[in-house]
Protein backbone atom coordinates (compact mmCIF):
# COMPACT_ATOMS: atom_id res chain seq x y z
CA UNK A 1 0.00 0.00 0.00
CA UNK A 2 1.29 3.47 -0.84
CA UNK A 3 1.75 6.14 1.81
CA UNK A 4 -1.47 8.18 1.94
CA UNK A 5 -1.81 11.73 3.23
CA UNK A 6 -4.32 11.59 6.10
CA UNK A 7 -4.24 15.31 6.91
CA UNK A 8 -7.73 16.11 5.63
CA UNK A 9 -9.27 13.13 7.40
CA UNK A 10 -7.59 14.00 10.71
CA UNK A 11 -8.80 17.60 10.41
CA UNK A 12 -12.32 16.34 9.68
CA UNK A 13 -12.24 14.18 12.81
CA UNK A 14 -10.92 17.10 14.85
CA UNK A 15 -13.89 19.23 13.72
CA UNK A 16 -16.27 16.40 14.59
CA UNK A 17 -14.58 16.02 17.98
CA UNK A 18 -15.23 19.71 18.67
CA UNK A 19 -18.95 19.15 18.06
CA UNK A 20 -19.10 20.89 14.70
CA UNK A 21 -21.32 19.89 11.78
CA UNK A 22 -19.80 17.27 9.48
CA UNK A 23 -21.24 15.87 6.24
CA UNK A 24 -20.27 12.37 5.13
CA UNK A 25 -21.07 11.43 1.54
CA UNK A 26 -20.91 8.35 -0.67
CA UNK A 27 -20.57 8.43 -4.46
CA UNK A 28 -20.77 5.25 -6.50
CA UNK A 29 -22.88 2.57 -8.13
CA UNK A 30 -25.42 0.00 -7.03
CA UNK A 31 -23.49 -1.26 -3.99
CA UNK A 32 -23.35 2.27 -2.62
CA UNK A 33 -27.02 2.76 -3.47
CA UNK A 34 -27.70 -0.35 -1.37
CA UNK A 35 -28.59 -3.07 -3.86
CA UNK A 36 -29.58 -6.40 -2.23
CA UNK A 37 -29.42 -5.08 1.33
CA UNK A 38 -32.68 -5.91 3.10
CA UNK A 39 -33.00 -2.32 4.30
CA UNK A 40 -31.02 0.87 3.70
CA UNK A 41 -29.96 0.86 7.35
CA UNK A 42 -28.04 -2.34 6.59
CA UNK A 43 -25.99 -0.92 3.71
CA UNK A 44 -22.28 -0.34 4.10
CA UNK A 45 -22.75 3.41 3.56
CA UNK A 46 -25.32 3.85 6.31
CA UNK A 47 -23.28 1.69 8.70
CA UNK A 48 -20.26 3.94 8.13
CA UNK A 49 -22.44 7.01 8.70
CA UNK A 50 -23.63 5.45 11.95
CA UNK A 51 -19.98 4.98 12.99
CA UNK A 52 -19.41 8.73 12.62
CA UNK A 53 -22.48 9.44 14.78
CA UNK A 54 -21.41 6.98 17.48
CA UNK A 55 -17.79 8.08 17.46
CA UNK A 56 -18.52 11.82 17.67
CA UNK A 57 -21.73 12.11 19.71
CA UNK A 58 -21.41 15.88 20.19
CA UNK A 59 -21.20 16.55 16.44
CA UNK A 60 -24.09 16.96 14.00
CA UNK A 61 -23.38 14.40 11.28
CA UNK A 62 -25.20 14.74 7.95
CA UNK A 63 -25.55 11.86 5.47
CA UNK A 64 -25.50 12.04 1.65
CA UNK A 65 -25.87 8.87 -0.43
CA UNK A 66 -25.27 9.45 -4.16
CA UNK A 67 -25.11 5.85 -5.34
CA UNK A 68 -26.79 5.08 -8.68
CA UNK A 69 -26.89 1.49 -9.91
CA UNK A 70 -25.14 0.54 -13.12
CA UNK A 71 -23.16 3.78 -13.43
CA UNK A 72 -19.47 4.52 -13.85
CA UNK A 73 -17.08 7.31 -12.95
CA UNK A 74 -17.75 8.75 -16.43
CA UNK A 75 -21.27 9.59 -15.25
CA UNK A 76 -19.95 10.27 -11.75
CA UNK A 77 -17.66 13.10 -12.85
CA UNK A 78 -20.58 14.82 -14.61
CA UNK A 79 -22.85 14.70 -11.55
CA UNK A 80 -20.44 15.00 -8.64
CA UNK A 81 -21.28 18.68 -8.14
CA UNK A 82 -25.08 18.34 -8.22
CA UNK A 83 -25.28 15.09 -6.25
CA UNK A 84 -22.43 15.48 -3.74
CA UNK A 85 -20.47 18.72 -3.70
CA UNK A 86 -23.45 21.06 -3.34
CA UNK A 87 -23.76 19.64 0.19
CA UNK A 88 -20.19 20.79 0.99
CA UNK A 89 -19.06 17.37 2.23
CA UNK A 90 -16.25 16.84 4.72
CA UNK A 91 -15.68 13.14 4.00
CA UNK A 92 -16.46 11.28 0.74
CA UNK A 93 -16.21 7.58 -0.12
CA UNK A 94 -15.85 6.89 -3.87
CA UNK A 95 -16.95 3.47 -5.14
CA UNK A 96 -16.64 2.68 -8.88
CA UNK A 97 -14.19 -0.22 -8.93
CA UNK A 98 -16.73 -2.82 -10.11
CA UNK A 99 -18.50 -0.48 -12.55
CA UNK A 100 -15.51 1.01 -14.34
CA UNK A 101 -13.61 -1.22 -16.74
CA UNK A 102 -9.95 -1.76 -15.90
CA UNK A 103 -8.55 0.48 -18.63
CA UNK A 104 -7.07 3.89 -19.32
CA UNK A 105 -10.39 5.47 -20.36
CA UNK A 106 -11.99 4.94 -16.97
CA UNK A 107 -8.75 5.76 -15.19
CA UNK A 108 -9.06 9.19 -16.78
CA UNK A 109 -12.73 9.69 -15.85
CA UNK A 110 -11.93 8.44 -12.33
CA UNK A 111 -9.11 10.98 -12.02
CA UNK A 112 -11.50 13.71 -13.14
CA UNK A 113 -13.93 12.72 -10.40
CA UNK A 114 -11.20 12.67 -7.79
CA UNK A 115 -9.76 16.04 -8.82
CA UNK A 116 -13.23 17.60 -8.70
CA UNK A 117 -13.69 16.34 -5.14
CA UNK A 118 -10.23 17.32 -3.91
CA UNK A 119 -10.39 20.84 -5.35
CA UNK A 120 -13.81 21.69 -3.92
CA UNK A 121 -14.03 24.56 -1.44
CA UNK A 122 -15.05 22.36 1.49
CA UNK A 123 -11.78 20.42 1.06
CA UNK A 124 -13.28 17.00 1.75
CA UNK A 125 -11.23 14.03 2.88
CA UNK A 126 -11.64 11.32 0.25
CA UNK A 127 -11.47 7.55 0.68
CA UNK A 128 -11.38 5.18 -2.31
CA UNK A 129 -13.37 1.95 -1.99
CA UNK A 130 -12.47 -1.07 -4.14
CA UNK A 131 -15.42 -3.46 -4.20
CA UNK A 132 -15.02 -6.76 -6.06
CA UNK A 133 -16.76 -9.44 -8.12
CA UNK A 134 -16.80 -12.31 -5.63
CA UNK A 135 -16.95 -14.98 -8.35
CA UNK A 136 -13.86 -13.82 -10.21
CA UNK A 137 -11.96 -11.31 -8.04
CA UNK A 138 -12.18 -8.78 -10.86
CA UNK A 139 -12.26 -5.02 -10.32
CA UNK A 140 -10.53 -1.86 -11.53
CA UNK A 141 -8.52 -1.20 -8.38
CA UNK A 142 -5.12 -1.39 -10.11
CA UNK A 143 -6.09 1.58 -12.29
CA UNK A 144 -8.03 3.41 -9.57
CA UNK A 145 -5.40 3.04 -6.88
CA UNK A 146 -2.71 4.27 -9.25
CA UNK A 147 -4.70 7.52 -9.35
CA UNK A 148 -5.09 7.39 -5.58
CA UNK A 149 -1.34 7.02 -5.13
CA UNK A 150 -0.75 10.06 -7.39
CA UNK A 151 -2.87 12.21 -5.04
CA UNK A 152 -1.93 10.32 -1.83
CA UNK A 153 -5.59 9.47 -1.20
CA UNK A 154 -6.19 6.42 1.04
CA UNK A 155 -8.12 3.37 -0.11
CA UNK A 156 -9.87 0.33 1.34
CA UNK A 157 -9.80 -2.78 -0.84
CA UNK A 158 -12.46 -5.46 -0.40
CA UNK A 159 -10.55 -7.58 -2.91
CA UNK A 160 -7.50 -7.56 -0.64
CA UNK A 161 -9.46 -8.24 2.56
CA UNK A 162 -12.96 -9.76 2.59
CA UNK A 163 -12.54 -11.52 -0.75
CA UNK A 164 -9.26 -13.11 0.35
CA UNK A 165 -10.85 -14.32 3.58
CA UNK A 166 -13.72 -15.80 1.58
CA UNK A 167 -11.24 -17.64 -0.66
CA UNK A 168 -9.50 -18.97 2.45
CA UNK A 169 -12.79 -20.44 3.71
CA UNK A 170 -13.81 -17.92 6.37
CA UNK A 171 -17.08 -17.28 4.51
CA UNK A 172 -18.95 -18.92 1.67
CA UNK A 173 -19.72 -16.92 -1.41
CA UNK A 174 -23.45 -17.36 -0.68
CA UNK A 175 -23.04 -15.75 2.75
CA UNK A 176 -21.67 -12.58 1.18
CA UNK A 177 -23.65 -12.23 -2.06
CA UNK A 178 -26.45 -13.98 -3.91
CA UNK A 179 -25.38 -12.82 -7.38
CA UNK A 180 -21.59 -12.74 -7.14
CA UNK A 181 -21.40 -8.94 -6.84
CA UNK A 182 -23.94 -7.14 -4.67
CA UNK A 183 -23.44 -7.81 -0.97
CA UNK A 184 -26.02 -9.34 1.33
CA UNK A 185 -26.59 -7.73 4.71
CA UNK A 186 -23.61 -9.78 5.93
CA UNK A 187 -21.55 -8.62 2.96
CA UNK A 188 -22.44 -4.97 3.55
CA UNK A 189 -21.52 -5.38 7.20
CA UNK A 190 -18.08 -6.70 6.27
CA UNK A 191 -17.49 -3.92 3.72
CA UNK A 192 -18.46 -1.36 6.34
CA UNK A 193 -16.22 -3.13 8.83
CA UNK A 194 -13.15 -2.65 6.65
CA UNK A 195 -13.87 1.07 6.26
CA UNK A 196 -14.60 1.47 9.96
CA UNK A 197 -11.39 -0.38 10.87
CA UNK A 198 -9.45 2.12 8.77
CA UNK A 199 -11.29 5.08 10.34
CA UNK A 200 -10.66 3.72 13.83
CA UNK A 201 -6.93 3.55 13.11
CA UNK A 202 -6.90 7.17 11.98
CA UNK A 203 -8.99 8.27 14.96
CA UNK A 204 -6.52 6.58 17.33
CA UNK A 205 -3.55 8.50 15.93
CA UNK A 206 -1.97 11.32 17.86
CA UNK A 207 -4.22 14.40 17.79
CA UNK A 208 -2.96 17.90 17.38
CA UNK A 209 -3.19 18.77 13.67
CA UNK A 210 -4.41 22.31 13.19
CA UNK A 211 -5.62 23.73 9.91
CA UNK A 212 -3.23 26.35 8.59
CA UNK A 213 -3.29 28.77 5.70
CA UNK A 214 -0.52 26.72 4.12
CA UNK A 215 -2.68 23.57 4.26
CA UNK A 216 -5.61 25.48 2.80
CA UNK A 217 -3.55 26.66 -0.13
CA UNK A 218 -2.00 23.29 -1.05
CA UNK A 219 -2.40 22.78 -4.77
CA UNK A 220 -3.14 19.51 -6.52
CA UNK A 221 -0.32 17.96 -8.51
CA UNK A 222 -0.48 18.09 -12.27
CA UNK A 223 -2.85 15.44 -13.67
CA UNK A 224 -1.61 11.89 -14.10
CA UNK A 225 -3.70 11.29 -17.24
CA UNK A 226 -4.78 13.58 -20.07
CA UNK A 227 -7.56 14.58 -17.63
CA UNK A 228 -10.10 15.68 -20.23
CA UNK A 229 -13.06 14.94 -17.96
CA UNK A 230 -12.48 16.96 -14.79
CA UNK A 231 -14.91 19.67 -15.93
CA UNK A 232 -17.42 17.38 -17.64
CA UNK A 233 -20.95 18.75 -18.00
CA UNK A 234 -24.25 16.94 -18.28
CA UNK A 235 -26.77 18.54 -20.66
CA UNK A 236 -30.49 17.77 -20.28
CA UNK A 237 -33.47 19.56 -21.79
CA UNK A 238 -33.04 22.17 -19.04
CA UNK A 239 -29.55 23.03 -20.28
CA UNK A 240 -29.62 22.94 -24.09
CA UNK A 241 -32.11 23.49 -26.92
CA UNK A 242 -31.47 21.04 -29.75
CA UNK A 243 -33.31 21.02 -33.06
CA UNK A 244 -36.22 18.57 -32.72
CA UNK A 245 -37.43 16.67 -35.77
CA UNK A 246 -39.84 14.22 -34.20
CA UNK A 247 -38.13 13.78 -30.83
CA UNK A 248 -40.00 15.55 -28.01
CA UNK A 249 -38.63 17.10 -24.84
CA UNK A 250 -39.62 15.66 -21.46
CA UNK A 251 -39.60 18.63 -19.07
CA UNK A 252 -41.28 16.94 -16.11
CA UNK A 253 -39.80 17.89 -12.76
CA UNK A 254 -37.44 15.35 -11.20
CA UNK A 255 -38.31 14.33 -7.64
CA UNK A 256 -34.71 13.50 -6.74
CA UNK A 257 -31.43 12.24 -8.12
CA UNK A 258 -32.86 8.71 -8.49
CA UNK A 259 -35.80 9.94 -10.58
CA UNK A 260 -33.80 9.23 -13.72
CA UNK A 261 -36.07 9.28 -16.74
CA UNK A 262 -37.20 12.87 -16.81
CA UNK A 263 -35.81 16.05 -18.43
CA UNK A 264 -34.58 14.13 -21.47
CA UNK A 265 -36.00 13.57 -24.95
CA UNK A 266 -38.07 10.76 -26.51
CA UNK A 267 -38.17 9.36 -30.04
CA UNK A 268 -40.92 6.97 -31.12
CA UNK A 269 -41.39 6.82 -34.88
CA UNK A 270 -39.07 5.86 -37.77
CA UNK A 271 -37.31 9.02 -38.93
CA UNK A 272 -37.62 10.89 -35.63
CA UNK A 273 -34.50 13.00 -35.12
CA UNK A 274 -32.76 15.39 -32.75
CA UNK A 275 -29.71 17.54 -33.50
CA UNK A 276 -27.27 19.11 -31.02
CA UNK A 277 -24.40 21.51 -31.53
CA UNK A 278 -21.83 21.53 -28.73
CA UNK A 279 -18.26 22.69 -28.19
CA UNK A 280 -16.22 19.85 -26.75
CA UNK A 281 -13.38 17.41 -27.30
CA UNK A 282 -15.17 14.51 -25.58
CA UNK A 283 -18.85 13.65 -26.08
CA UNK A 284 -21.01 10.80 -24.78
CA UNK A 285 -24.69 9.99 -25.24
CA UNK A 286 -26.62 8.88 -22.17
CA UNK A 287 -29.74 6.83 -22.92
CA UNK A 288 -32.05 4.22 -21.45
CA UNK A 289 -31.88 0.50 -22.00
CA UNK A 290 -35.26 -0.83 -20.88
CA UNK A 291 -36.62 -4.21 -19.85
CA UNK A 292 -39.95 -3.20 -21.43
CA UNK A 293 -39.07 -4.95 -24.66
CA UNK A 294 -39.23 -4.45 -27.56
CA UNK A 295 -37.82 -0.95 -27.42
CA UNK A 296 -37.05 1.58 -30.12
CA UNK A 297 -33.37 2.08 -30.97
CA UNK A 298 -31.55 5.07 -32.48
CA UNK A 299 -28.40 5.86 -34.41
CA UNK A 300 -25.99 8.58 -33.35
CA UNK A 301 -24.05 10.50 -36.00
CA UNK A 302 -21.20 12.89 -35.15
CA UNK A 303 -20.35 15.74 -37.53
CA UNK A 304 -22.47 14.22 -40.27
CA UNK A 305 -20.33 11.08 -40.56
CA UNK A 306 -23.09 8.58 -41.32
CA UNK A 307 -20.56 5.96 -42.39
CA UNK A 308 -19.48 5.60 -38.75
CA UNK A 309 -22.91 5.94 -37.12
CA UNK A 310 -23.28 4.06 -33.82
CA UNK A 311 -26.46 2.11 -33.07
CA UNK A 312 -27.90 2.67 -29.60
CA UNK A 313 -30.03 -0.36 -28.76
CA UNK A 314 -32.85 0.60 -26.40
CA UNK A 315 -33.35 -3.00 -25.23
CA UNK A 316 -31.81 -4.25 -22.00
CA UNK A 317 -31.44 -7.98 -22.62
CA UNK A 318 -31.00 -8.59 -18.89
CA UNK A 319 -33.89 -8.46 -16.45
CA UNK A 320 -32.43 -6.57 -13.48
CA UNK A 321 -33.98 -3.21 -14.41
CA UNK A 322 -33.70 -0.03 -16.42
CA UNK A 323 -30.09 0.71 -17.34
CA UNK A 324 -28.67 4.22 -17.66
CA UNK A 325 -26.27 3.52 -20.51
CA UNK A 326 -23.48 5.91 -21.46
CA UNK A 327 -21.94 5.63 -24.94
CA UNK A 328 -18.82 7.67 -25.77
CA UNK A 329 -18.98 8.98 -29.34
CA UNK A 330 -15.94 11.30 -29.27
CA UNK A 331 -12.86 10.88 -27.06
CA UNK A 332 -9.90 13.28 -27.21
CA UNK A 333 -11.17 14.77 -30.44
CA UNK A 334 -10.49 18.29 -31.61
CA UNK A 335 -12.07 20.94 -29.37
CA UNK A 336 -14.47 22.69 -31.69
CA UNK A 337 -18.17 22.98 -32.45
CA UNK A 338 -19.44 19.47 -33.15
CA UNK A 339 -22.86 18.30 -34.29
CA UNK A 340 -24.44 15.25 -32.66
CA UNK A 341 -27.52 13.85 -34.40
CA UNK A 342 -29.74 11.00 -33.23
CA UNK A 343 -32.09 9.33 -35.67
CA UNK A 344 -34.62 6.55 -35.23
CA UNK A 345 -33.91 4.27 -38.23
CA UNK A 346 -36.47 4.16 -41.03
CA UNK A 347 -36.92 0.43 -40.57
CA UNK A 348 -40.28 -0.23 -38.84
CA UNK A 349 -40.00 -0.18 -35.05
CA UNK A 350 -42.79 -0.64 -32.55
CA UNK A 351 -42.32 -0.61 -28.81
CA UNK A 352 -41.17 1.44 -25.84
CA UNK A 353 -39.92 4.86 -27.01
CA UNK A 354 -36.20 5.54 -27.19
CA UNK A 355 -35.26 7.74 -24.22
CA UNK A 356 -32.27 10.09 -24.43
CA UNK A 357 -31.32 11.28 -20.95
CA UNK A 358 -28.49 13.68 -21.76
CA UNK A 359 -25.27 14.51 -23.53
CA UNK A 360 -22.17 14.49 -21.38
CA UNK A 361 -19.45 16.73 -22.76
CA UNK A 362 -15.93 17.67 -21.70
Amino acid sequence: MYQADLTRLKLCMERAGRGEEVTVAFLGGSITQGSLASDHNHTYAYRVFEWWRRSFPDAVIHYVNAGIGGTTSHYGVSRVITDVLVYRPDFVVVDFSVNDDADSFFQETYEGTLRKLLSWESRPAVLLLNNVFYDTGANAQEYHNEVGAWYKVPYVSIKDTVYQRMKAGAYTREELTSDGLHPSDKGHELVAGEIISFLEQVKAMEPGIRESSQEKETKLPLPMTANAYENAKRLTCRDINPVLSGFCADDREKTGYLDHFKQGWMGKQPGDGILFEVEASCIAVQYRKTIKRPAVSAEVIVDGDRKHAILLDGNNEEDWGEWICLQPVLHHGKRMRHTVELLVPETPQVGTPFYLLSLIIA
Side-chain angles (χ1 to χ4, degrees), residues 49-62:
F49 161 65
E50 287 281 87
W51 176 86
W52 280 90
R53 292 211 301 191
R54 291 193 307 271
S55 300
F56 303 99
D58 295 331
V60 177
I61 310 294
H62 302 287

Side-chain angles (χ1 to χ4, degrees), residues 236-279:
T236 70
C237 73
R238 297 300 178 91
D239 309 298
I240 191 170
N241 293 308
V243 176
L244 302 178
S245 302
F247 269 71
C248 60
D250 176 11
D251 61 358
R252 294 174 297 166
E253 285 288 344
K254 293 170 70 74
T255 58
Y257 81 100
L258 291 176
D259 190 13
H260 305 300
F261 303 110
K262 291 178 181 175
Q263 300 184 9
W265 301 266
M266 290 177 284
K268 304 177 182 179
Q269 304 297 327
D272 282 357
I274 183 171
L275 178 66
F276 300 87
E277 187 173 334
V278 295
E279 183 170 344

